Amino acid sequence: MNHISPQDQITTSEASEVSDNTTVKKRWIIQVVVTALLLFSGWHLWIYLQLLEIRSTNPQRTAFMQQASDNNSSITIKQQWVNFSGISRHLKSAVIASEDAAFVSHNGFDWDGIQLALEKNIKKGRIAAGGSTISQQLAKNLFLSGERSLFRKTEEAVITLMMEATLSKKRILELYLNYAEWGKGVYGAEAAARHYYGVSASKITSWQAARLASILPNPRYYDGKRTDWMYEKTDIILERMPKVRIPH
């Protein structure tokens, strides 16, 4: 008959306890992973359903507009929807020339632009250029924030893929032109045209369009400012405008 010594009993008990603790930890990790996947899937399912709705309806407010309002309760959000046909062709050309020259031909990502932006950032030793397309910017404006993080960029990429699969290029540009930030509390082409030039979006001239497009990278800073860089950028955009394609 085999006898288990008290020391062996203690060792067996400790091993059993360690095994139980390991099992509990594994279950906890699995539960966390499953919960995270469910939340991730649920969030993107909600966004996809929103995009399906956005194909034919116009959002009342974007994430960017809501955040601006939350961060500054005294700010007045100025935004007025105008259909694609009611926006000056000059402004459509200027925005594409300035922000995303390959807009009509790419699938949401301009890999040449991303590579160029990466090279600029490495050369300057900081994030000086983003390389984001119009589709990526719209994804961020509609659903995300201006935070610069790997997680936000990943989310932006996922939403961009869904957007390109759900919306036409014309609809993407129409939404972008109506919700892009153009100044302090100024969103969309109509509000921008009236804020800066006192005219409707349909009456914007080629030079005015190029000027509006030039401030898109930092609209709050350039609201009310005039710099040599703005004049130079405006001239560059004017030169590029005849070369771009507008979706229709």
Side-chain angles (χ1 to χ4, degrees), residues 113-137:
I114 292 173
Q115 181 179 351
L116 182 61
L118 183 61
E119 291 172 356
K120 285 183 179 179
N121 294 336
I122 292 174
K123 185 176 180 180
K124 291 183 178 291
R126 60 183 177 84
I127 300 178
S132 292
T133 62
I134 285 174
S135 300
Q136 288 175 275
Q137 291 181 51

PDB file of all heavy atoms in Angstrom, residues 113-137:
ATOM      1  N   GLY A 113       0.698  59.029 -52.068  1.00  0.00           N
ATOM      2  CA  GLY A 113       0.611  60.159 -51.150  1.00  0.00           C
ATOM      3  C   GLY A 113       1.056  59.788 -49.749  1.00  0.00           C
ATOM      4  O   GLY A 113       1.708  60.585 -49.056  1.00  0.00           O
ATOM      5  N   ILE A 114       0.719  58.579 -49.327  1.00  0.00           N
ATOM      6  CA  ILE A 114       1.126  58.108 -47.997  1.00  0.00           C
ATOM      7  C   ILE A 114       2.642  57.981 -47.917  1.00  0.00           C
ATOM      8  O   ILE A 114       3.264  58.382 -46.931  1.00  0.00           O
ATOM      9  CB  ILE A 114       0.447  56.758 -47.681  1.00  0.00           C
ATOM     10  CG1 ILE A 114      -1.068  56.965 -47.497  1.00  0.00           C
ATOM     11  CG2 ILE A 114       1.052  56.128 -46.427  1.00  0.00           C
ATOM     12  CD1 ILE A 114      -1.849  55.680 -47.358  1.00  0.00           C
ATOM     13  N   GLN A 115       3.244  57.438 -48.982  1.00  0.00           N
ATOM     14  CA  GLN A 115       4.699  57.294 -49.011  1.00  0.00           C
ATOM     15  C   GLN A 115       5.385  58.664 -48.987  1.00  0.00           C
ATOM     16  O   GLN A 115       6.369  58.866 -48.270  1.00  0.00           O
ATOM     17  CB  GLN A 115       5.129  56.520 -50.254  1.00  0.00           C
ATOM     18  CG  GLN A 115       6.640  56.305 -50.329  1.00  0.00           C
ATOM     19  CD  GLN A 115       7.047  55.502 -51.556  1.00  0.00           C
ATOM     20  OE1 GLN A 115       6.200  54.960 -52.256  1.00  0.00           O
ATOM     21  NE2 GLN A 115       8.344  55.432 -51.821  1.00  0.00           N
ATOM     22  N   LEU A 116       4.834  59.608 -49.756  1.00  0.00           N
ATOM     23  CA  LEU A 116       5.399  60.957 -49.792  1.00  0.00           C
ATOM     24  C   LEU A 116       5.302  61.626 -48.428  1.00  0.00           C
ATOM     25  O   LEU A 116       6.246  62.274 -47.968  1.00  0.00           O
ATOM     26  CB  LEU A 116       4.674  61.796 -50.847  1.00  0.00           C
ATOM     27  CG  LEU A 116       5.178  63.224 -51.056  1.00  0.00           C
ATOM     28  CD1 LEU A 116       6.630  63.222 -51.513  1.00  0.00           C
ATOM     29  CD2 LEU A 116       4.306  63.966 -52.082  1.00  0.00           C
ATOM     30  N   ALA A 117       4.150  61.458 -47.762  1.00  0.00           N
ATOM     31  CA  ALA A 117       3.957  62.042 -46.432  1.00  0.00           C
ATOM     32  C   ALA A 117       4.921  61.420 -45.431  1.00  0.00           C
ATOM     33  O   ALA A 117       5.487  62.118 -44.578  1.00  0.00           O
ATOM     34  CB  ALA A 117       2.511  61.828 -45.976  1.00  0.00           C
ATOM     35  N   LEU A 118       5.129  60.106 -45.543  1.00  0.00           N
ATOM     36  CA  LEU A 118       6.056  59.416 -44.648  1.00  0.00           C
ATOM     37  C   LEU A 118       7.471  59.934 -44.821  1.00  0.00           C
ATOM     38  O   LEU A 118       8.192  60.172 -43.839  1.00  0.00           O
ATOM     39  CB  LEU A 118       6.007  57.909 -44.921  1.00  0.00           C
ATOM     40  CG  LEU A 118       6.874  57.023 -44.027  1.00  0.00           C
ATOM     41  CD1 LEU A 118       6.457  57.162 -42.572  1.00  0.00           C
ATOM     42  CD2 LEU A 118       6.780  55.562 -44.469  1.00  0.00           C
ATOM     43  N   GLU A 119       7.863  60.139 -46.069  1.00  0.00           N
ATOM     44  CA  GLU A 119       9.208  60.660 -46.338  1.00  0.00           C
ATOM     45  C   GLU A 119       9.376  62.070 -45.769  1.00  0.00           C
ATOM     46  O   GLU A 119      10.428  62.407 -45.220  1.00  0.00           O
ATOM     47  CB  GLU A 119       9.466  60.655 -47.850  1.00  0.00           C
ATOM     48  CG  GLU A 119       9.592  59.259 -48.446  1.00  0.00           C
ATOM     49  CD  GLU A 119       9.654  59.265 -49.965  1.00  0.00           C
ATOM     50  OE1 GLU A 119       9.514  60.363 -50.553  1.00  0.00           O
ATOM     51  OE2 GLU A 119       9.854  58.188 -50.562  1.00  0.00           O
ATOM     52  N   LYS A 120       8.331  62.900 -45.904  1.00  0.00           N
ATOM     53  CA  LYS A 120       8.379  64.263 -45.346  1.00  0.00           C
ATOM     54  C   LYS A 120       8.504  64.220 -43.834  1.00  0.00           C
ATOM     55  O   LYS A 120       9.272  64.982 -43.230  1.00  0.00           O
ATOM     56  CB  LYS A 120       7.118  65.040 -45.744  1.00  0.00           C
ATOM     57  CG  LYS A 120       7.080  65.502 -47.189  1.00  0.00           C
ATOM     58  CD  LYS A 120       5.833  66.322 -47.461  1.00  0.00           C
ATOM     59  CE  LYS A 120       5.784  66.817 -48.895  1.00  0.00           C
ATOM     60  NZ  LYS A 120       4.550  67.607 -49.160  1.00  0.00           N
ATOM     61  N   ASN A 121       7.743  63.335 -43.199  1.00  0.00           N
ATOM     62  CA  ASN A 121       7.763  63.234 -41.742  1.00  0.00           C
ATOM     63  C   ASN A 121       9.121  62.755 -41.225  1.00  0.00           C
ATOM     64  O   ASN A 121       9.618  63.250 -40.212  1.00  0.00           O
ATOM     65  CB  ASN A 121       6.658  62.280 -41.261  1.00  0.00           C
ATOM     66  CG  ASN A 121       5.269  62.821 -41.544  1.00  0.00           C
ATOM     67  OD1 ASN A 121       5.081  64.024 -41.685  1.00  0.00           O
ATOM     68  ND2 ASN A 121       4.293  61.940 -41.637  1.00  0.00           N
ATOM     69  N   ILE A 122       9.712  61.792 -41.948  1.00  0.00           N
ATOM     70  CA  ILE A 122      11.029  61.294 -41.553  1.00  0.00           C
ATOM     71  C   ILE A 122      12.075  62.389 -41.709  1.00  0.00           C
ATOM     72  O   ILE A 122      12.942  62.579 -40.851  1.00  0.00           O
ATOM     73  CB  ILE A 122      11.414  60.062 -42.410  1.00  0.00           C
ATOM     74  CG1 ILE A 122      10.503  58.875 -42.069  1.00  0.00           C
ATOM     75  CG2 ILE A 122      12.873  59.695 -42.194  1.00  0.00           C
ATOM     76  CD1 ILE A 122      10.711  57.668 -42.956  1.00  0.00           C
ATOM     77  N   LYS A 123      11.977  63.147 -42.796  1.00  0.00           N
ATOM     78  CA  LYS A 123      12.936  64.227 -43.058  1.00  0.00           C
ATOM     79  C   LYS A 123      12.851  65.325 -41.995  1.00  0.00           C
ATOM     80  O   LYS A 123      13.872  65.848 -41.543  1.00  0.00           O
ATOM     81  CB  LYS A 123      12.677  64.827 -44.438  1.00  0.00           C
ATOM     82  CG  LYS A 123      13.680  65.881 -44.862  1.00  0.00           C
ATOM     83  CD  LYS A 123      13.406  66.363 -46.275  1.00  0.00           C
ATOM     84  CE  LYS A 123      14.418  67.413 -46.702  1.00  0.00           C
ATOM     85  NZ  LYS A 123      14.169  67.897 -48.089  1.00  0.00           N
ATOM     86  N   LYS A 124      11.625  65.646 -41.577  1.00  0.00           N
ATOM     87  CA  LYS A 124      11.433  66.716 -40.596  1.00  0.00           C
ATOM     88  C   LYS A 124      11.519  66.216 -39.162  1.00  0.00           C
ATOM     89  O   LYS A 124      11.614  67.014 -38.220  1.00  0.00           O
ATOM     90  CB  LYS A 124      10.078  67.395 -40.823  1.00  0.00           C
ATOM     91  CG  LYS A 124      10.008  68.202 -42.111  1.00  0.00           C
ATOM     92  CD  LYS A 124       8.672  68.917 -42.249  1.00  0.00           C
ATOM     93  CE  LYS A 124       8.629  69.766 -43.517  1.00  0.00           C
ATOM     94  NZ  LYS A 124       9.531  70.930 -43.428  1.00  0.00           N
ATOM     95  N   GLY A 125      11.444  64.909 -38.974  1.00  0.00           N
ATOM     96  CA  GLY A 125      11.529  64.344 -37.641  1.00  0.00           C
ATOM     97  C   GLY A 125      10.271  64.531 -36.813  1.00  0.00           C
ATOM     98  O   GLY A 125      10.289  64.431 -35.591  1.00  0.00           O
ATOM     99  N   ARG A 126       9.175  64.786 -37.469  1.00  0.00           N
ATOM    100  CA  ARG A 126       7.884  64.968 -36.801  1.00  0.00           C
ATOM    101  C   ARG A 126       6.775  64.740 -37.816  1.00  0.00           C
ATOM    102  O   ARG A 126       7.035  64.585 -38.999  1.00  0.00           O
ATOM    103  CB  ARG A 126       7.762  66.380 -36.221  1.00  0.00           C
ATOM    104  CG  ARG A 126       7.861  67.484 -37.258  1.00  0.00           C
ATOM    105  CD  ARG A 126       7.811  68.873 -36.652  1.00  0.00           C
ATOM    106  NE  ARG A 126       7.984  69.920 -37.635  1.00  0.00           N
ATOM    107  CZ  ARG A 126       7.012  70.427 -38.388  1.00  0.00           C
ATOM    108  NH1 ARG A 126       5.762  69.974 -38.246  1.00  0.00           N
ATOM    109  NH2 ARG A 126       7.247  71.384 -39.252  1.00  0.00           N
ATOM    110  N   ILE A 127       5.515  64.691 -37.323  1.00  0.00           N
ATOM    111  CA  ILE A 127       4.383  64.511 -38.221  1.00  0.00           C
ATOM    112  C   ILE A 127       4.059  65.850 -38.870  1.00  0.00           C
ATOM    113  O   ILE A 127       3.399  66.705 -38.279  1.00  0.00           O
ATOM    114  CB  ILE A 127       3.151  63.965 -37.471  1.00  0.00           C
ATOM    115  CG1 ILE A 127       3.484  62.607 -36.849  1.00  0.00           C
ATOM    116  CG2 ILE A 127       1.963  63.828 -38.423  1.00  0.00           C
ATOM    117  CD1 ILE A 127       2.350  62.012 -36.054  1.00  0.00           C
ATOM    118  N   ALA A 128       4.556  66.044 -40.075  1.00  0.00           N
ATOM    119  CA  ALA A 128       4.341  67.297 -40.799  1.00  0.00           C
ATOM    120  C   ALA A 128       3.309  67.143 -41.903  1.00  0.00           C
ATOM    121  O   ALA A 128       2.746  68.118 -42.382  1.00  0.00           O
ATOM    122  CB  ALA A 128       5.664  67.782 -41.391  1.00  0.00           C
ATOM    123  N   ALA A 129       3.076  65.898 -42.326  1.00  0.00           N
ATOM    124  CA  ALA A 129       2.107  65.629 -43.390  1.00  0.00           C
ATOM    125  C   ALA A 129       1.364  64.340 -43.064  1.00  0.00           C
ATOM    126  O   ALA A 129       1.945  63.401 -42.520  1.00  0.00           O
ATOM    127  CB  ALA A 129       2.822  65.510 -44.740  1.00  0.00           C
ATOM    128  N   GLY A 130       0.061  64.321 -43.401  1.00  0.00           N
ATOM    129  CA  GLY A 130      -0.738  63.163 -43.029  1.00  0.00           C
ATOM    130  C   GLY A 130      -0.972  62.173 -44.152  1.00  0.00           C
ATOM    131  O   GLY A 130      -1.052  60.970 -43.931  1.00  0.00           O
ATOM    132  N   GLY A 131      -1.081  62.661 -45.378  1.00  0.00           N
ATOM    133  CA  GLY A 131      -1.317  61.775 -46.502  1.00  0.00           C
ATOM    134  C   GLY A 131      -2.716  61.207 -46.563  1.00  0.00           C
ATOM    135  O   GLY A 131      -2.968  60.249 -47.287  1.00  0.00           O
ATOM    136  N   SER A 132      -3.653  61.794 -45.790  1.00  0.00           N
ATOM    137  CA  SER A 132      -5.022  61.275 -45.764  1.00  0.00           C
ATOM    138  C   SER A 132      -5.799  61.709 -47.000  1.00  0.00           C
ATOM    139  O   SER A 132      -5.712  62.859 -47.429  1.00  0.00           O
ATOM    140  CB  SER A 132      -5.757  61.772 -44.514  1.00  0.00           C
ATOM    141  OG  SER A 132      -5.202  61.206 -43.353  1.00  0.00           O
ATOM    142  N   THR A 133      -6.575  60.798 -47.546  1.00  0.00           N
ATOM    143  CA  THR A 133      -7.423  61.100 -48.699  1.00  0.00           C
ATOM    144  C   THR A 133      -8.706  61.791 -48.227  1.00  0.00           C
ATOM    145  O   THR A 133      -8.985  61.878 -47.035  1.00  0.00           O
ATOM    146  CB  THR A 133      -7.794  59.813 -49.435  1.00  0.00           C
ATOM    147  OG1 THR A 133      -8.556  58.975 -48.540  1.00  0.00           O
ATOM    148  CG2 THR A 133      -6.559  59.063 -49.897  1.00  0.00           C
ATOM    149  N   ILE A 134      -9.502  62.244 -49.188  1.00  0.00           N
ATOM    150  CA  ILE A 134     -10.790  62.841 -48.864  1.00  0.00           C
ATOM    151  C   ILE A 134     -11.676  61.829 -48.142  1.00  0.00           C
ATOM    152  O   ILE A 134     -12.376  62.164 -47.180  1.00  0.00           O
ATOM    153  CB  ILE A 134     -11.475  63.362 -50.147  1.00  0.00           C
ATOM    154  CG1 ILE A 134     -10.781  64.664 -50.606  1.00  0.00           C
ATOM    155  CG2 ILE A 134     -12.962  63.598 -49.938  1.00  0.00           C
ATOM    156  CD1 ILE A 134     -11.264  65.192 -51.941  1.00  0.00           C
ATOM    157  N   SER A 135     -11.638  60.577 -48.579  1.00  0.00           N
ATOM    158  CA  SER A 135     -12.433  59.526 -47.938  1.00  0.00           C
ATOM    159  C   SER A 135     -12.003  59.324 -46.494  1.00  0.00           C
ATOM    160  O   SER A 135     -12.845  59.185 -45.590  1.00  0.00           O
ATOM    161  CB  SER A 135     -12.292  58.212 -48.716  1.00  0.00           C
ATOM    162  OG  SER A 135     -12.737  58.350 -50.043  1.00  0.00           O
ATOM    163  N   GLN A 136     -10.699  59.295 -46.242  1.00  0.00           N
ATOM    164  CA  GLN A 136     -10.198  59.128 -44.875  1.00  0.00           C
ATOM    165  C   GLN A 136     -10.585  60.316 -43.999  1.00  0.00           C
ATOM    166  O   GLN A 136     -10.976  60.148 -42.839  1.00  0.00           O
ATOM    167  CB  GLN A 136      -8.678  58.973 -44.899  1.00  0.00           C
ATOM    168  CG  GLN A 136      -8.192  57.643 -45.434  1.00  0.00           C
ATOM    169  CD  GLN A 136      -6.680  57.592 -45.552  1.00  0.00           C
ATOM    170  OE1 GLN A 136      -6.107  58.030 -46.552  1.00  0.00           O
ATOM    171  NE2 GLN A 136      -6.029  57.075 -44.534  1.00  0.00           N
ATOM    172  N   GLN A 137     -10.468  61.507 -44.548  1.00  0.00           N
ATOM    173  CA  GLN A 137     -10.836  62.700 -43.783  1.00  0.00           C
ATOM    174  C   GLN A 137     -12.321  62.699 -43.442  1.00  0.00           C
ATOM    175  O   GLN A 137     -12.718  63.078 -42.333  1.00  0.00           O
ATOM    176  CB  GLN A 137     -10.478  63.951 -44.578  1.00  0.00           C
ATOM    177  CG  GLN A 137      -8.986  64.189 -44.733  1.00  0.00           C
ATOM    178  CD  GLN A 137      -8.693  65.454 -45.514  1.00  0.00           C
ATOM    179  OE1 GLN A 137      -9.217  66.522 -45.221  1.00  0.00           O
ATOM    180  NE2 GLN A 137      -7.844  65.356 -46.523  1.00  0.00           N
TER     181      GLN A 137
END
